[in-house]
Amino acid sequence: MKYSKLIILIITILLTGCGVKNVIEDSKTESIDNTSLRQLGDDAYNDQIWDDVVKYYTKLVKTSSDNSELWYRIGNAYSQLGQTDFAINSYQAALALDEYNTKILHNLAVIQLRESIKTFMKLKNNTNLDDPLNIRAKLAINTVATLLNKEFID
């Protein structure tokens, strides 16, 4: 009986210790001021640690959602992570704050063009070779791919 109570006490202490560690780790990031949070986000951005970029900048925009640069960088991180919908939403949030920002407009356009290639690939793969839509899909894929790989000269 003594041993079973001792074992239960030890297990309870160990489990409580694990829970306290998680609470401490969560409270560390919550108690960081915006300047430190921005620095962590900037460092992650420069080091291309995209998951951390999203984590830190997303926390930061909760307190300063009117910063188009943060939304732009979140969009870039999501783009690098292959999360296109989140990237597009982030770029659109940035544009809502700074509608003529050419960097944001460019990256949004590029990601939308890449998505259009995926859609045209589905069209091509689901039509017969002699179907006019198959031919049009191939033409669109080649045109957009060329546009993305070469400089546009006006």
Side-chain angles (χ1 to χ4, degrees):
M1 183 76 166
K2 272 185 171 182
Y3 292 112
S4 62
K5 286 183 180 180
L6 181 61
I7 291 173
I8 292 172
L9 178 63
I10 291 171
I11 291 173
T12 304
I13 291 170
L14 289 174
L15 290 175
T16 303
C18 292
V20 169
K21 181 181 178 192
N22 290 336
V23 170
I24 291 170
E25 286 177 3
D26 288 343
S27 66
K28 282 181 184 175
T29 57
E30 287 176 14
S31 66
I32 295 175
D33 63 27
N34 284 352
T35 304
S36 299
L37 204 52
R38 177 63 190 242
Q39 188 60 53
L40 288 168
D42 290 348
D43 290 345
Y45 192 87
N46 293 332
D47 294 338
Q48 300 180 358
I49 305 170
W50 304 118
D51 288 323
D52 285 352
V53 170
V54 170
K55 178 174 73 174
Y56 295 128
Y57 285 160
T58 300
K59 286 184 180 190
L60 197 53
V61 294
K62 288 180 182 176
T63 59
S64 58
S65 61
D66 61 340
N67 187 325
S68 65
E69 181 69 16
L70 290 177
W71 285 111
Y72 167 75
R73 286 177 165 228
I74 292 169
N76 289 345
Y78 277 130
S79 178
Q80 291 295 324
L81 292 168
Q83 297 182 22
T84 304
D85 290 339
F86 288 116
I88 289 171
N89 290 339
S90 299
Y91 290 139
Q92 288 173 338
L95 281 176
L97 298 168
D98 186 3
E99 64 182 308
Y100 301 111
N101 184 309
T102 56
K103 294 187 308 182
I104 301 167
L105 289 166
H106 172 267
N107 285 15
L108 178 60
V110 167
I111 203 166
Q112 289 172 329
L113 285 171
R114 286 183 184 149
E115 282 302 298
S116 73
I117 287 178
K118 291 178 187 176
T119 304
F120 282 115
M121 289 294 292
K122 283 183 184 178
L123 175 62
K124 181 181 81 67
N125 293 334
N126 289 297
T127 53
N128 293 326
L129 292 176
D130 60 345
D131 188 325
L133 289 177
N134 185 283
I135 297 165
R136 180 174 281 196
K138 288 177 187 175
L139 178 62
I141 292 165
N142 290 333
T143 302
V144 173
T146 300
L147 178 64
L148 288 173
N149 292 320
K150 291 186 177 180
E151 285 188 39
F152 177 75
I153 300 173
D154 190 23

